[in-house]
Structure formats: C-alpha cells, structure tokens
Amino acid sequence: MVVEDNQTGITKYKIGLASFLIGSSYLNNIDIVNIAKSNLIDFANKMNATTFMAVLDENMVTYIYKYESENSIITTANVGTRKSLHCAALGKAMLAYKSEVEINKLIEELAEVRQRGYAKDDRENTLQQIAVAAPLFDHEGHVVAAISCVGFYESSIDLDDLGLLIKDVGKQISYKLGYNPQ
C-alpha cells in the first residue's frame, strides 16, 4: 500500500501499486460505469470533447470515469480527481436533485439546473474550458452520478444547445439504470 522512496537521500513515503490496484478494482466493479461507458464514448467522439462521470463523496465531486476523444482538449481532471461542488458542472447537476433542505443550505443556480435538466460551467474554473453536465437517475428516481462534456471555450458554442445534448445522453443512461420518469 505504501512504499519507501530513497532516491533523494531522504526517506519519503508514497502510495504504492497495491493502492492503485484496489482503486482500479473498485472502479471496474461499478456497474454504472460499464452501463454508461458506450454512451459517453459515442458522445465524446461526436462532440470532439472529453466526457466524465462522477459521484458525490463527502460534498466533493469525485471523478470515476473519463474518456477523451481523439480531437479533444487535454483536461487536468483524471479519475480520482476531486473538485468543489459549486464550480463543477458535474457537482451542480448532482446537487440540483438533493432534498429541499440540503438545497437551501447550498448555493446559487441549482433551481435553474433542476429546471433545465443540465448544469453549465462557463469558464468558472479556467478561462479556456466550458462544460455541461447532466444527472443520472436510478430505478427509484435518485441521482446516483452525473456525466459531463468538457471542451475549449469558443464564442460560437451555445452551452444551452450542448446542455440539451448531454441531458439526452443522461436520460439514455438513466433508462438503462431502470429509471422511469412516471
């Protein structure tokens, strides 16, 4: 789990390969990733972008899947990355479907995200990146994760058009998870 690093003459400790293997086996056993993977790959390739899936973990967005299309930008987020909820489109998409008590304790634009069905990140983390995200619902109608599409900012890109597309992909995956809006 932990290994010694003596290369600099000072003993340091770092996470070992066993930690990675345990983490990887966890990700491989999450059915939601396997269910959503083909939709996320298809969407990323169609948009020449990067797609992600994340879950909420102790009020942080934790990325559990990433796919970069051949022509996408290189993003700094990787599987295992954690971000604050309020400045990630993924976080907003999941927060928008929390209970009313939880929502009242939290921040900005969540009612609008819930109404639209997708969240937007218009260069809130970096000046070069935009993102849209949509929630994934399980068979009981609970949000279990979210997916996103990230790309370079271009004035010609309409985030609402892109948001409707990611919302549709989210619905397709949710239906595979047994979600029925009725």
Side-chain angles (χ1 to χ4, degrees), residues 104-158:
N104 288 332
K105 293 178 184 175
L106 300 170
I107 52 176
E108 66 188 49
E109 92 177 61
L110 297 178
E112 190 177 324
V113 171
R114 184 181 267 189
Q115 183 181 13
R116 280 191 312 251
Y118 61 90
K120 301 185 282 188
D121 175 351
D122 190 1
R123 299 168 289 159
E124 293 169 44
N125 278 322
T126 70
L127 294 177
Q128 298 84 17
Q129 274 184 204
I130 56 170
V132 291
L136 299 181
F137 298 94
D138 68 7
H139 64 284
E140 294 179 336
H142 298 213
V143 174
V144 293
I147 58 171
S148 71
C149 180
V150 179
F152 269 129
Y153 168 75
E154 294 178 26
S155 60
S156 62
I157 295 176
D158 185 323

Side-chain angles (χ1 to χ4, degrees), residues 2-176:
V2 178
V3 295
E4 281 187 12
D5 181 357
N6 294 320
Q7 292 180 348
T8 61
I10 300 171
T11 301
K12 294 180 182 180
Y13 297 92
K14 61 184 182 180
I15 295 176
L17 182 59
S19 297
F20 172 76
L21 294 174
I22 290 170
S24 294
S25 68
Y26 171 78
L27 290 177
N28 290 335
N29 290 323
I30 297 177
D31 286 337
I32 194 169
V33 171
N34 293 326
I35 290 169
K37 199 179 284 189
S38 64
N39 294 82
L40 294 174
I41 290 169
D42 290 345
F43 191 66
N45 289 333
K46 177 181 174 185
M47 303 308 297
N48 289 320
T50 301
T51 52
F52 292 98
M53 181 186 297
V55 295
L56 289 178
D57 180 36
E58 296 179 13
N59 291 323
M60 296 290 285
V61 174
T62 302
Y63 293 80
I64 61 171
Y65 180 76
K66 174 182 181 178
Y67 176 78
E68 292 179 334
S69 72
E70 200 171 293
N71 298 316
S72 70
I73 64 168
I74 303 299
T75 59
T76 57
N78 289 304
V79 172
T81 297
R82 296 182 70 183
K83 289 190 176 182
S84 298
L85 297 171
H86 72 282
C87 63
L90 284 164
K92 294 174 193 177
M94 288 187 277
L95 285 173
Y97 294 88
K98 289 290 192 181
S99 72
E100 289 302 317
V101 172
E102 292 170 302
I103 288 174
N104 288 332
K105 293 178 184 175
L106 300 170
I107 52 176
E108 66 188 49
E109 92 177 61
L110 297 178
E112 190 177 324
V113 171
R114 184 181 267 189
Q115 183 181 13
R116 280 191 312 251
Y118 61 90
K120 301 185 282 188
D121 175 351
D122 190 1
R123 299 168 289 159
E124 293 169 44
N125 278 322
T126 70
L127 294 177
Q128 298 84 17
Q129 274 184 204
I130 56 170
V132 291
L136 299 181
F137 298 94
D138 68 7
H139 64 284
E140 294 179 336
H142 298 213
V143 174
V144 293
I147 58 171
S148 71
C149 180
V150 179
F152 269 129
Y153 168 75
E154 294 178 26
S155 60
S156 62
I157 295 176
D158 185 323
L159 278 180
D160 290 309
D161 289 345
L162 190 56
L164 292 173
L165 293 171
I166 197 74
K167 177 182 173 182
D168 186 55
V169 174
K171 282 183 182 178
Q172 293 172 30
I173 296 168
S174 294
Y175 292 144
K176 289 180 181 180

